[in-house]
Amino acid sequence: NENGDIIQQLEHRISRLEGVLRLNKVITEFGGKIFATNGKRADFDATVEKCKEVGGSIATPRNPGENDAILYFVKYFNTYAYLGIKQSIIPGKFQLLNGARLSYTNWYSNEPSGKGEE
């Protein structure tokens, strides 16, 4: 039917666009989630806002695969990445931006220290 044809055309176009974005190293995917960057440096608040503007949210790794997807950009752009994590009211403890408990962490030894080497 006509709706099926339109959906198939849209899926094809989306697939092509995703391919171009992957070639340009601005998106990667893991577990059905798409991770994206514009490769530009920004402060944390601007990053959170830009993610909201495009209908997404700042990356928060919930497993090793998602962590690797974020690390892909860190290595490719030779920079750091902000995560959707903040320090809780208990010093040295961290939580999601919405206040929920972290279910996954992958800190280096003696981290996080807040010095960019977490």
Side-chain angles (χ1 to χ4, degrees), residues 30 33 60-68 104:
F30 180 82
K33 290 184 181 179
T60 305
R62 288 180 167 74
N63 57 56
E66 292 180 7
N67 193 72
D68 288 346
Y104 169 80

Side-chain angles (χ1 to χ4, degrees), residues 102-117:
L102 292 178
S103 61
Y104 169 80
T105 61
N106 189 28
W107 308 118
Y108 285 134
S109 183
N110 300 315
E111 298 292 354
S113 67
K115 297 179 182 167
E117 298 294 324

